[in-house]
Amino acid sequence: VFRAAIGNHDIFFNGWSGFKRIMGRSMYSFNADNVHFTVLDSANGVFGEKQLGWLENDLAAATQTHKIVISHFPVWNGTFTSMFKLASEEESALVKDMLNRYNVSLMFAGHYHGYNETTLGGVRYVVTGGANDLIDPGNKQNYVRVTVSGSTIQTERIAFP
C-alpha cells in the first residue's frame, strides 16, 4: 500500500482533485501494528480550524504504542527561512502542543529540500525533502528508513548513491 501527504506542488492545475481521485483523501489516518499514522493536508501552507479539530480527535482516540504525524509543511522550522515552514506560527504552536499532549513519537515533514531534525518536549521532528538537494547543496540527496520494534522507533538517514 502506498500512502502520501499532499504537497504544495500537488495543488497546481486542479491538483487537489487529481490527488483525491488517485490517492483518496488528503487528510487521513491508519494503523499498522502498534503505530498510528496521521497524515495532514498542509499543501497550501496552513491546516485550518477544521483539520486541527480533526487532528485532536484523531490523536485522542489513538491507542497504539506509537503515533506518527506526517505533513508536507513542517511545524518546526529550525533555522529555515519563512518559505520552508507552515505559514501560521499560531497553528505551528497549536500543533506542537497537541503532539506533546497526545504523546506523539515522531513528526515527519518535507517541503524543505534538505534534512534537519530535533526533539522538542519528547516529540522528534524530522524534516526531509532530500530527493532534491538544489536548494541546500550541503544536504545531499537522501531518504529516511524508519524501523519500529516494540517500544522503539529508529530513523536512519541514507544517502542516495
Side-chain angles (χ1 to χ4, degrees):
V1 174
F2 180 79
R3 310 284 182 153
I6 192 168
N8 60 304
H9 295 283
D10 299 316
I11 63 176
F12 299 120
F13 309 110
N14 204 24
W16 257 304
S17 297
F19 182 92
K20 290 176 183 177
R21 186 181 72 252
I22 296 166
M23 300 300 300
R25 296 170 298 169
S26 60
M27 63 181 212
Y28 56 94
S29 63
F30 63 96
N31 299 319
D33 293 325
N34 67 339
V35 183
H36 180 76
F37 293 88
T38 305
V39 180
L40 301 173
D41 180 344
S42 64
N44 63 355
V46 297
F47 293 123
E49 190 175 321
K50 179 180 175 185
Q51 186 170 203
L52 291 174
W54 175 83
L55 173 62
E56 181 139 29
N57 291 334
D58 181 71
L59 293 175
T63 59
Q64 287 65 28
T65 305
H66 302 289
K67 298 173 191 168
I68 296 176
V69 175
I70 303 163
S71 167
H72 180 73
F73 278 92
V75 297
W76 167 78
N77 65 339
T79 59
F80 308 147
T81 61
S82 62
M83 71 179 276
F84 294 119
K85 64 181 180 178
L86 201 65
S88 168
E89 291 291 338
E90 181 181 1
E91 282 191 353
S92 290
L94 288 169
V95 170
K96 285 186 275 190
D97 177 64
M98 242 185 270
L99 301 185
N100 267 337
R101 282 188 289 118
Y102 293 107
N103 299 312
V104 170
S105 305
L106 179 63
M107 181 176 191
F108 276 107
H111 194 65
Y112 172 66
H113 293 224
Y115 184 88
N116 212 336
E117 69 174 278
T118 195
T119 299
L120 300 171
V123 179
R124 187 160 176 213
Y125 294 87
V126 175
V127 181
T128 180
N132 178 345
D133 60 358
L134 295 176
I135 294 175
D136 187 354
N139 266 312
K140 296 300 177 196
Q141 293 179 328
N142 67 88
Y143 65 95
V144 178
R145 177 184 295 147
V146 179
T147 305
V148 178
S149 179
S151 63
T152 63
I153 296 180
Q154 293 180 317
T155 59
E156 180 183 6
R157 181 178 174 207
I158 300 171
F160 287 149

